[in-house]
Amino acid sequence: MSRRKPLKRRTPRSTTARSTKRTAVGALVVVGLLTGCSGGTDRGDVLADLATQGAETLEALPEVAAAATAAVQTACASGEKADFDAAVEDVAAAQTRWHEAEAFWLGPATDLRSNSIVDWPANAQDVDDLVAAEEPATIDVNYLAAYVGADTRGYGAVLTLLEQAPLDERQCGYANAATALAESGIDAVTAAWTDPDDGEPYRDELADPAVGIDAVVNHLLALLTNKDAANWEARSNSVEDLLFGPEGDSGLSALLDDDLTAQLRTETDELISATKDGEAAADDEPSEAALAAMNELRATVATQVVAELGVTVTFSDADGDSAG
């Protein structure tokens, strides 16, 4: 059986808010340069803002994940092309929203290895092989969670299956199980951030300056090392969220001097430009421009940002070689 690339459909993200953010932060940098000060912003306030943004971002995901699960169930129940087309759109939307939250894949998402459940890059051949296998008789959530590799489950695997629609009973069982498992992974991360069964919410933990600064900067380094080209556009936007916040006037840059903030703004814009609209990759390989922009910004974070904020670096380049 020939190897196919898994179907990837992305819902374009609106650029209006992003453009407004860059205009706002540009104006703030100019004002800062003219006044010669960076404002002495409190670390606790910055981290509280980031923690709130993370919690709100993740709280919006379960509804989208539930819609993807329901859409696949509906399509499999009806067998209608229109329903399968709608399922593709809903699964792709959930996949995209998950990656747009990469800024907050620290803490619980790392501990739970959530991306290995939700959307690790799919191996289309492995997906086909599982469908063709005699065992198990039924591909259910428990089997996918315990017995298959990360590249054989998650939204990428579901989109690979939906590319072959209409699906037979075994394919539908697989697709239903994979979407349900992905939904459970998103639910688990969201609960850990906002309302865990035990302990304090990660939102509160991240807001503690003794923990949060190191956690955010190390996660930023991880984002800037991950070479999964399929999701670079969403990842670049996540980098921007951590550095400049949702409106361009918060994030880590609020704690940095004006010259470094201006440098980070320039380098972040270069990264976003190099990774937008699928320009980051050709045949799933990173483009030279995207790699160069990523390496430049990572170097600035690893040296100047780390030094200015007094961060203990626990991340190594080897940690970023995988997609999750």
Side-chain angles (χ1 to χ4, degrees):
M1 186 178 296
S2 62
R3 180 185 177 92
R4 301 186 322 279
K5 291 183 181 178
L7 177 64
K8 283 271 190 178
R9 287 200 184 182
R10 297 291 182 192
T11 303
R13 189 174 190 178
S14 170
T15 59
T16 303
R18 296 269 165 203
S19 178
T20 301
K21 177 193 294 188
R22 291 168 200 138
T23 301
V25 75
L28 287 171
V29 169
V30 170
V31 170
L33 291 172
L34 291 173
T35 59
C37 64
S38 58
T41 305
D42 182 75
R43 289 188 175 206
D45 291 342
V46 169
L47 288 170
D49 286 345
L50 279 172
T52 297
Q53 183 190 355
E56 291 175 350
T57 297
L58 292 168
E59 283 177 324
L61 297 183
E63 182 178 358
V64 180
T69 302
V72 173
Q73 291 172 344
T74 297
C76 283
S78 74
E80 297 292 331
K81 181 181 184 302
D83 287 333
F84 279 111
D85 289 345
V88 168
E89 295 302 324
D90 284 348
V91 172
Q95 183 187 56
T96 297
R97 290 287 293 277
W98 169 245
H99 285 284
E100 286 176 348
E102 285 195 37
F104 306 106
W105 287 10
L106 69 170
T110 300
D111 296 341
L112 297 170
R113 293 186 58 81
S114 300
N115 197 45
S116 71
I117 294 172
V118 179
D119 192 46
W120 198 271
N123 184 317
Q125 185 63 61
D126 287 350
V127 171
D128 286 343
D129 289 347
L130 180 55
V131 171
E134 293 184 1
E135 297 290 338
T138 301
I139 304 170
D140 59 18
V141 170
N142 291 333
Y143 185 84
L144 291 180
Y147 297 109
V148 306
D151 62 357
T152 318
R153 61 193 178 203
Y155 289 134
V158 177
L159 289 172
T160 299
L161 290 164
L162 290 174
E163 190 178 18
Q164 304 170 56
L167 306 184
D168 63 26
E169 182 178 357
R170 183 171 177 80
Q171 290 171 316
C172 272
Y174 186 174
N176 280 321
T179 48
L181 181 61
E183 181 183 352
S184 73
I186 287 173
D187 287 347
V189 172
T190 303
W193 267 78
T194 60
D195 189 24
D197 291 334
D198 298 304
E200 67 176 344
Y202 187 71
R203 170 175 52 196
D204 296 344
E205 183 179 339
L206 187 65
D208 179 359
V211 176
I213 291 294
D214 280 8
V216 172
V217 173
N218 277 282
H219 181 57
L220 183 58
L221 288 170
L223 290 174
L224 289 168
T225 305
N226 191 332
K227 298 181 178 66
D228 172 26
N231 300 299
W232 263 15
E233 182 175 2
R235 190 172 307 115
S236 297
N237 290 333
S238 286
V239 167
E240 185 180 33
D241 285 340
L242 290 178
L243 285 173
F244 301 103
E247 304 299 330
D249 57 357
S250 56
L252 289 176
S253 64
L255 300 172
L256 304 171
D257 69 51
D258 301 319
D259 289 341
L260 181 52
T261 296
Q263 180 179 344
L264 289 168
R265 180 70 270 173
T266 297
E267 292 176 0
T268 301
D269 286 346
E270 290 174 353
L271 176 64
I272 290 169
S273 177
T275 57
K276 70 180 180 180
D277 301 328
E279 294 177 14
D283 295 326
D284 292 333
E285 292 297 323
S287 71
E288 291 185 8
L291 278 173
M294 183 184 74
N295 290 337
E296 180 180 35
L297 181 54
R298 185 179 68 230
T300 300
V301 172
T303 55
Q304 297 182 61
V305 173
V306 165
E308 188 161 330
L309 295 180
V311 169
T312 299
V313 176
T314 57
F315 173 82
S316 71
D317 285 351
D319 296 326
D321 288 344
S322 69

